[in-house]
């Protein structure tokens, strides 16, 4: 449809133009009329940001993904539109007869000439409002024992595989990845993706958890979602989700929203983390600290070994001292040895002395036996011409030279004659 | 678990294949035995050597580790599909 100049859209232009003569009533086109009404409604500050309580009637869900229904009270009704995006975020799906509080704005829908309530958020109203439903469910599940401390299991200290249920798009998954990459990259992450917001989130989270529960060898599970309004986080207060968390076969950490957000799923978890990043931290040891711990272990080993060596050394020292105490007294031994030596020497000296005395005696004896002493006693020695000592007179003949050796001097002579006298008889 | 006897025959490569937490536990045990004081000097030295090996293996794993990620529901990944719920 070609856009035509409209008096209603351009009041300024109209004012500046000369007023036409009022010959006939102004004929508006329907489009112009509806646009005029829309402008009026859009200009109203109250209608642009309105809270309305009423009962949902005849909701329809066409293939477009939007939802249309009538909101009414005892006397009046108004048409309402809940578009796909808002529907996905809504805590509850509009149902016929449901009392709700709607936050939204009122606008005219020009093609049909109607005004509608465009819903931004929709929450159950009255006794069924979020807070009281939260409280009621909390009491019910607490009474069922789902939140008891005795059910809480310790988180494995050295996980090898960690299952994660969260939205694969967005900051939360990225944060968890970053934390673990920095903190404990030794772990394997198993992502079970899920929608975590809107009316379809609760059953999706339950399915995602159950996919993980079917996995073997998971040490820990993390259920995480970023922060948001109570409505945004509502699926974590859904009884199905809370019970699924309580059913986890391995320890489960729930990290939803920011620190102030506590959902019923948090209560049912083995450990509640204030944020998704904190959940990743609580699920793992810190590699930096690990390096320190490892270093400390090595130091302890070194210290223990050195200690052992020291022990050995002091043991050896002590043994050495003990040996010293037990050993014979070397000083005394030395003294004894010295004494012995002295005695030996003295004994030797004595013996030498005796030897010397004996020697002297022997010398005297020898002297008495020497020819000189014999000669002194008056004997003589006769030597023949050949210089040999004569013992037999028959060895010489008359005229032979004869040397007669006396105690003092020698007589040179010649043989006159010989006789065969017996010396024995001669000196008898 | 890696006990002392196993440790004595494992090569460094074989050691590197053990889960990190088992390496740490083995290291802790070696240190505790060393500190316990019931081992002789020879055995203490052997324990210390194995402790150093374990320490080096742990550090290497920490240095070289890369976060592994599996996504369920993707092709080639075993595990129940959403339709298999219940």
């Amino acid at each position: 449809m070609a856009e035509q100049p409209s008096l209603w859209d351009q009041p300024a232009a109209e004012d500046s133009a000369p007023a036409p003569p009022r010959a006939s009533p102004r004929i508006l086109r329907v489009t112009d009329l509806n646009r005029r009404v829309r402008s009026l409604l859009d200009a109203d500050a109250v209608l642009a940001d309105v809270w309305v309580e009423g009962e949902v009637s005849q909701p329809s869900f066409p293939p477009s993904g939007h939802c249309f229904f009538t909101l009414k009270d005892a006397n009046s009704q108004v048409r309402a539109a809940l578009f796909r995006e808002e529907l996905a975020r809504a805590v509850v799906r509009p149902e016929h007869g449901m009392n709700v509080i709607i936050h939204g704005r009122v606008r005219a829908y020009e093609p049909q000439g109607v005004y509608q309530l465009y819903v931004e958020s929709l929450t159950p109203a009255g006794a069924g409002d979020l807070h009281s439903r939260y409280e009621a469910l909390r009491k019910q599940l607490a009474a069922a024992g789902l939140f008891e401390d005795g059910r809480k299991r310790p988180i494995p200290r050295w996980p090898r595989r960690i299952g994660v249920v969260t939205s694969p798009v967005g900051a939360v998954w990225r944060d968890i990845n970053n934390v673990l990459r920095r903190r404990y990259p030794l772990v394997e992450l198993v992502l079970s993706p899920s929608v975590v917001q809107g009316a379809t989130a609760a059953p999706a989270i339950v399915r995602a958890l159950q996919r993980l529960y079917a996995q073997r060898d998971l040490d820990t599970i993390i259920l995480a979602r970023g922060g948001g309004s109570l409505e945004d986080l509502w699926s974590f207060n859904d009884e199905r989700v809370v019970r699924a968390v309580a059913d986890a076969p391995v320890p489960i950490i729930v990290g939803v929203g920011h620190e102030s957000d506590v959902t019923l799923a948090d209560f049912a978890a083995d450990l509640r983390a204030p944020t998704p990043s904190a959940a990743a931290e609580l699920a793992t040891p810190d590699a930096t600290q690990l390096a320190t711990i490892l270093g400390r272990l090595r130091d302890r080993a070194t210290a223990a070994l050195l200690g052992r060596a020291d022990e050995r050394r002091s043991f050896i020292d002590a043994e050495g001292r003990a040996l010293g105490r037990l050993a014979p007294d070397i000083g005394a031994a030395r003294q004894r040895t010295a004494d012995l030596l002295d005695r030996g020497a003295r004994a030797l000296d004595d013996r030498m002395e005796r030897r010397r005395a004996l020697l002297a005696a022997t010398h005297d004896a020898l002297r008495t036996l020497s020819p000189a002493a014999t000669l002194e006693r008056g004997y003589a020695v006769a030597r023949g011409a050949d210089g040999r000592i004569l013992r037999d007179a028959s060895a010489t003949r008359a005229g032979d030279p004869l040397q007669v050796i006396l105690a003092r001097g020698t007589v040179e002579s010649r043989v006159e004659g010989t006789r065969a006298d017996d010396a024995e008889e001669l000196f008898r | 678990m890696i006990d002392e006897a196993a440790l004595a025959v494992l090569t460094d490569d074989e050691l590197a294949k053990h889960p990190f937490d088992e390496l740490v536990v083995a290291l802790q045990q070696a240190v505790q035995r060393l500190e316990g004081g019931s081992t002789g000097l020879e055995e203490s030295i052997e324990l210390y050597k194995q402790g150093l090996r374990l320490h080096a293996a742990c550090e290497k794993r920490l240095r070289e580790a890369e976060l592994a990620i599996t996504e369920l529901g993707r092709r080639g990944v075993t595990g129940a599909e959403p339709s298999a719920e219940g």
Side-chain angles (χ1 to χ4, degrees):
Chain A
M1 183 176 68
E3 201 68 25
Q4 291 185 11
S6 160
L7 296 175
W8 309 104
D9 275 353
Q10 294 166 342
E14 182 193 22
D15 290 347
S16 62
R22 296 183 63 90
S24 57
R26 181 187 292 163
I27 311 298
L28 294 178
R29 291 176 301 135
V30 175
T31 300
D32 294 334
L33 176 65
N34 286 0
R35 190 164 298 173
R36 172 96 185 180
V37 171
R38 195 192 74 178
S39 295
L40 280 172
L41 295 185
D42 282 355
D44 189 296
V46 172
L47 295 181
D49 182 18
V50 72
W51 295 82
V52 186
E53 182 174 351
E55 181 188 326
V56 173
S57 177
Q58 306 291 339
S60 69
F61 297 91
S64 60
H66 308 315
C67 169
F68 302 99
F69 59 92
T70 299
L71 188 70
K72 63 181 187 182
D73 60 17
N75 304 312
S76 305
Q77 59 182 41
V78 63
R79 289 184 58 176
L82 179 54
F83 290 132
R84 195 172 52 216
E85 293 75 22
E86 284 75 26
L87 177 60
R89 275 213 313 273
V91 172
V92 291
R93 243 170 115 82
E95 288 168 26
H96 183 72
M98 180 184 277
N99 276 309
V100 295
I101 293 173
I102 285 168
H103 180 215
R105 68 181 303 170
V106 176
R107 300 189 78 175
Y109 182 54
E110 290 176 54
Q112 291 183 10
V114 296
Y115 77 90
Q116 303 193 106
L117 189 52
Y118 289 89
V119 180
E120 280 167 18
S121 74
L122 173 146
T123 53
D129 77 354
L130 286 184
H131 279 289
S132 48
R133 290 210 317 179
Y134 175 95
E135 272 308 309
L137 188 57
R138 190 182 64 76
K139 279 180 191 150
Q140 178 201 329
L141 295 179
L146 263 65
F147 305 151
E148 274 171 18
D149 284 345
R151 297 185 80 255
K152 314 276 184 221
R153 294 159 291 193
I155 306 302
R157 197 169 165 209
W158 309 99
R160 297 173 194 173
R161 292 182 91 216
I162 297 179
V164 180
V165 171
T166 193
S167 168
V169 292
V172 169
W173 174 236
R174 206 170 52 238
D175 287 350
I176 290 175
N177 270 263
N178 287 341
V179 166
L180 293 181
R181 204 163 268 135
R182 163 175 56 77
R183 189 178 163 87
Y184 196 64
L186 294 156
V187 81
E188 182 192 350
L189 280 187
V190 182
L191 172 66
S192 184
S194 172
V195 175
V196 290
Q197 179 161 303
T200 59
I205 292 170
V206 171
R207 280 196 303 273
L209 283 173
Q210 282 168 346
R211 280 202 300 273
L212 281 184
Y213 295 171
Q215 291 283 308
R216 276 190 287 179
D217 299 336
L218 281 182
D219 297 298
T220 312
I221 290 174
I222 294 174
L223 171 59
R225 189 209 184 283
S229 64
L230 181 59
E231 290 81 2
D232 286 341
L233 303 179
W234 190 250
S235 46
F236 290 84
N237 294 318
D238 187 291
E239 181 172 355
R240 291 166 293 178
V241 171
V242 180
R243 286 192 178 277
V245 167
D247 281 345
V250 297
I252 183 166
I253 304 174
V254 173
V256 173
H258 299 300
E259 241 166 290
S260 56
D261 303 318
V262 182
T263 67
L264 296 182
D266 283 306
F267 288 128
D270 291 287
L271 184 62
R272 178 196 170 240
T275 65
S277 298
E281 284 172 8
L282 290 169
T284 50
D286 185 347
T288 339
Q289 275 182 9
L290 264 180
T292 313
I293 291 170
L294 287 175
R296 219 170 275 152
L297 279 172
R298 189 193 49 204
D299 292 348
R300 273 170 60 189
T302 309
L305 185 67
L306 291 180
R308 186 61 37 76
D310 274 351
E311 261 170 39
R312 248 325 119 98
R313 198 168 299 132
S314 40
F315 173 74
I316 289 169
D317 286 351
E319 289 295 291
R321 282 193 297 277
L323 271 174
R325 279 195 301 277
L326 293 173
D329 187 338
I330 291 174
R334 197 174 288 139
Q335 187 61 50
R336 261 199 307 279
T337 312
D339 289 352
L340 279 172
L341 273 174
D342 282 355
R343 280 168 55 191
R346 272 199 303 277
L348 204 58
D349 281 353
D350 289 353
R351 200 173 306 167
M352 291 296 280
E353 202 53 49
R354 282 198 296 275
R355 281 286 163 81
R356 226 174 271 131
L358 185 61
L359 204 58
T362 309
H363 189 246
D364 287 348
L366 280 176
R367 269 193 45 205
T368 56
L369 293 175
S370 87
T374 307
L375 295 181
E376 197 65 44
R377 275 163 41 213
Y379 295 91
V381 175
R383 267 204 292 234
D386 53 1
R388 295 170 69 166
I389 291 174
L390 291 174
R391 288 184 175 79
D392 189 345
S394 61
T396 61
R397 262 170 274 167
D400 282 351
L402 185 73
Q403 255 184 348
V404 179
I405 300 164
L406 303 175
R408 283 172 291 277
T410 300
V411 178
E412 297 291 349
S413 57
R414 278 188 194 279
V415 178
E416 292 287 327
T418 59
R419 265 193 324 264
D421 294 337
D422 190 339
E424 297 280 335
E425 286 177 18
L426 205 62
F427 291 107
R428 190 171 294 159
Chain B
M1 282 291 109
I2 315 167
D3 60 18
E4 225 173 303
L7 199 54
V9 295
L10 282 175
T11 66
D12 284 351
D13 283 346
E14 287 165 338
L15 200 60
K17 292 195 185 91
H18 279 265
F20 181 77
D21 50 297
E22 288 188 8
L23 296 178
V24 174
V25 168
L27 174 56
Q28 281 172 331
Q29 282 172 347
V31 171
Q32 278 161 6
R33 286 209 53 202
L34 262 173
E35 289 177 331
S38 60
T39 52
L41 190 58
E42 295 295 319
E43 198 184 349
S44 297
I45 290 170
E46 186 57 29
L47 271 171
Y48 182 69
K49 277 200 253 176
Q50 300 302 359
L52 287 190
R53 278 183 74 205
L54 287 163
H55 179 266
C58 287
E59 290 228 304
K60 188 163 183 283
R61 290 285 288 282
L62 277 180
R63 236 183 359 255
E64 296 174 357
E66 277 185 38
L67 191 65
I69 297 172
T70 314
E71 186 171 335
L72 297 185
R74 287 278 171 90
R75 200 155 32 130
V77 177
T78 54
E81 287 299 304
S83 58
E85 171 196 10

